[in-house]
Amino acid sequence: MTDEARTGHGAQDAAGRTPSDFTDGGHGAPESRHADSSGPEFSRPEFLPAGEGAPSQAERSDDDGWSQLGAPPGRGRWGDRQGQPELFRHDDGEPPAGEGVQGQGYVESWGDPSGRPRYDTAVFAAHPAPPPPPPSQAFGLGPGWAPPPGGPGLPGSFGGLAPAVVRGPRTATLVVLAVVIALLASLLGSVGTYLLTKPTGSGRDPSYSLGNAPTGSNARPPDSVAGVASKVLPSVVSLAVEGGTSSNTGSGFLIKGGYVVTNNHVVAGADPSGRIQIQFNNRKSTSAVVVGRDPESDLAVVKPAETFGAPEITLGNSDNVVVGDPVIAIGSPLGLTGTVTSGIVSSLNRPVQAGEENNSETTWLSAVQTDAAINPGNSGGPLVNGNGEVIGVNSAIATLGRSVGGQSGSIGLGFAIPVNHARRVAQELITTGKAKKSRIGVAIDPTYQGVGVRIATEAKQGSQPIEPNGPAAQAGLKPGDVILEVDGIVLQDGNELIALVRNRAPGEKLSVKYQRGGQENTATVTVGTAPDQPAPEPS
């Protein structure tokens, strides 16, 4: 910085100046403030508490603090302007008492901030003086203070010491630092995101989503289970029956003329004064009356007051059914209307007896066996094939035991009345109110334990082993003959023979293989009709 000429008063009050104002930059000493060297004292900053004046010259000589930097050098005492330093002495040519080395010149320079006289470093470089003690009184140095950079020695040095070279970081260091910062930022961001979105201890996650359901159609092929069910369900009904102190539920299906076919055991409680309520698939309900029922075949027909436009079901041909055919059972198991189950035909001509033998309510079935689930409430509902045609009327189930309520669930053995038999019985019930009973006119020996079924040899309770002039007698059968097969079906017991015969319509012909005296013979027997018995009147 270029110094200005100041007045005597300004020399004493030069506040705010710093030692860096008086550098020579290594090229020479600063000029004096006045023309001659005997002018006012050189101005230096005074670091004193606020409010105190500058000390006198005498006080400065005794002060040991930072407030006194020594007498200002004269114009020619720092050397020439070409930067060549010179050595100077005090006017008396001797150093102050106790200072320096005897006989050597000294320079009262600005190199020592304490203001003490100091020997020039150019002269005493070989024997450097020890560093000065810390000042006894120090005051704030003010902004921008720094030791003077000039002086003897290397250019730009302080006391001949070269300043430290400050270099910036290398490019590789900056790249590594940037990568580290980026990795740390990414890590911190990931941790923050996890902490903000992590599930709570309860397992709830506000951002959890399973997405939208896939689009699709509910249309199904007509020959699939769903397609068949949609075709048949509108023709299936649910029945609720109340009679006296009992009540019952079951299923049925609508046939031509607005009639409903069901099981006899479903509506038996309504005859003669009970009530029947029918609910259709559209959930509309109406009352119904019994048209006729046949306990022996466990079939009945009722007439609803209204059908609400429900379609009639299609009847198939049970003679065309084979084991393994897929089938579907539809009904109201346990009161659950419109229930659909599926399976296969697991057997044919399965003899089933329900009720007590020789009882008017005893049922004999040569049934279609299925593994489609059938439970209480399915009774009377249709068993349909893959075309939606009825091939049987669900009627019975096999169980391993009775439950607390007197009923048990399906174990995969259900039995249906063949539709060809149901067709004939339903038609007879609608036309006459009763169904014909098929007979061949023989009595069975229950004590026989051999192969096949043996005709009794003696009369029992006034009944002859073979009915005189009956179907068996006309075919040449005699008491004691053992019937082995009927229409190619090998007989295992008497119940199977009864079920097969009662499953045939009167007038049908049966091929019978029998054994007499160790010889096998065949005969053709035409199914006859049992004598009329009082039939229950429709309610």
Side-chain angles (χ1 to χ4, degrees):
M1 179 180 289
T2 303
D3 291 333
E4 305 180 279
R6 299 178 183 265
T7 63
H9 177 74
Q12 297 293 329
D13 299 326
R17 303 284 292 171
T18 64
S20 61
D21 292 338
F22 304 100
T23 61
D24 60 0
H27 300 289
E31 295 182 0
S32 174
R33 299 178 183 269
H34 300 280
D36 56 70
S37 60
S38 62
E41 293 183 359
F42 197 77
S43 175
R44 296 299 294 172
E46 301 291 338
F47 301 104
L48 298 175
E52 292 187 11
S56 63
Q57 182 66 25
E59 293 172 342
R60 291 183 182 182
S61 62
D62 297 331
D63 189 7
D64 194 28
W66 287 89
S67 61
Q68 177 59 45
L69 299 179
R75 179 176 179 83
R77 297 179 66 180
W78 285 89
D80 57 20
R81 294 183 178 272
Q82 285 70 29
Q84 300 299 324
E86 296 181 4
L87 300 179
F88 298 94
R89 302 175 185 274
H90 278 282
D91 294 340
D92 56 6
E94 294 295 331
E99 299 285 347
V101 180
Q102 186 67 28
Q104 298 293 333
Y106 71 96
V107 176
E108 195 171 2
S109 68
W110 294 91
D112 189 346
S114 67
R116 294 189 184 93
R118 176 181 174 183
Y119 301 109
D120 191 277
T121 56
V123 178
F124 299 99
H127 303 281
S136 61
Q137 295 180 353
F139 302 95
L141 299 180
W145 181 91
L154 297 177
S157 65
F158 175 66
L161 300 178
V165 178
V166 179
R167 295 180 180 176
R170 295 183 179 180
T171 302
T173 303
L174 292 176
V175 171
V176 172
L177 183 60
V179 171
V180 171
I181 292 174
L183 292 175
L184 288 176
S186 176
L187 177 61
L188 292 176
S190 300
V191 171
T193 301
Y194 169 76
L195 292 176
L196 291 175
T197 61
K198 71 174 183 177
T200 61
S202 63
R204 300 186 185 93
D205 184 356
S207 64
Y208 183 78
S209 174
L210 291 177
N212 297 326
T215 59
S217 173
N218 58 4
R220 298 292 183 270
D223 58 348
S224 65
V225 173
V228 172
S230 64
K231 176 184 177 181
V232 176
L233 274 170
S235 303
V236 181
V237 301
S238 176
L239 290 84
V241 180
E242 293 182 1
T245 59
S246 64
S247 62
N248 199 9
T249 61
S251 305
F253 52 91
L254 192 67
I255 62 173
K256 178 182 176 181
Y259 293 97
V260 171
V261 175
T262 186
N263 282 143
N264 172 70
H265 72 262
V266 171
V267 298
D271 192 13
S273 59
R275 295 189 309 167
I276 301 175
Q277 195 76 10
I278 293 181
Q279 179 178 319
F280 287 79
N281 188 62
N282 58 9
R283 299 194 176 185
K284 294 182 178 181
S285 299
T286 185
S287 59
V289 295
V290 176
V291 175
R293 59 189 187 91
D294 180 26
E296 190 172 272
S297 62
D298 195 22
L299 289 170
V301 175
V302 299
K303 178 74 172 185
E306 178 64 56
T307 61
F308 306 104
E312 65 182 64
I313 205 165
T314 302
L315 303 180
N317 186 351
S318 53
D319 290 343
N320 295 333
V321 176
V322 296
V323 174
D325 281 349
V327 289
I328 301 170
I330 304 176
S332 303
L334 307 177
L336 304 175
T337 61
T339 297
V340 177
T341 57
S342 65
I344 62 170
V345 173
S346 54
S347 184
L348 293 171
N349 303 309
R350 184 70 72 188
V352 175
Q353 176 187 353
E356 297 297 330
E357 189 174 0
N358 298 325
N359 187 293
S360 61
E361 298 294 314
T362 300
T363 298
W364 300 90
L365 302 176
S366 181
V368 176
Q369 179 180 302
T370 179
D371 65 350
I374 297 176
N375 287 286
N378 272 116
S379 294
L383 183 69
V384 301
N385 59 19
N387 296 323
E389 300 169 340
V390 179
I391 56 97
V393 181
N394 298 321
S395 180
I397 58 175
T399 65
L400 297 177
R402 294 288 183 175
S403 64
V404 176
Q407 295 175 331
S408 58
S410 171
I411 59 173
L413 292 174
F415 305 97
I417 302 167
V419 70
N420 288 357
H421 181 57
R423 185 198 304 267
R424 177 183 69 83
V425 172
Q427 182 173 309
E428 292 177 353
L429 291 176
I430 292 172
T431 56
T432 66
K434 60 182 180 181
K436 295 177 180 179
K437 308 296 189 289
S438 299
R439 299 287 189 270
I440 61 172
V442 297
I444 297 174
D445 182 2
T447 63
Y448 178 72
Q449 301 295 323
V451 177
V453 178
R454 187 172 67 180
I455 300 174
T457 57
E458 298 178 356
K460 185 178 182 181
Q461 296 179 352
S463 296
Q464 297 296 321
I466 294 182
E467 181 182 342
N469 202 30
Q474 293 177 0
L477 294 177
K478 295 182 179 180
D481 289 347
V482 178
I483 301 174
L484 301 175
E485 298 179 9
V486 174
D487 286 344
I489 299 174
V490 177
L491 300 180
Q492 296 180 348
D493 56 34
N495 292 336
E496 191 167 19
L497 175 62
I498 295 172
L500 284 172
V501 171
R502 294 190 181 184
N503 199 41
R504 299 293 195 270
E508 289 189 28
K509 298 185 181 297
L510 301 176
S511 176
V512 177
K513 179 187 287 189
Y514 66 95
Q515 185 181 57
R516 180 186 300 166
Q519 300 292 323
E520 291 186 358
N521 300 285
T522 59
T524 299
V525 179
T526 301
V527 179
T529 303
D532 289 339
Q533 295 180 354
E537 294 294 330
S539 59

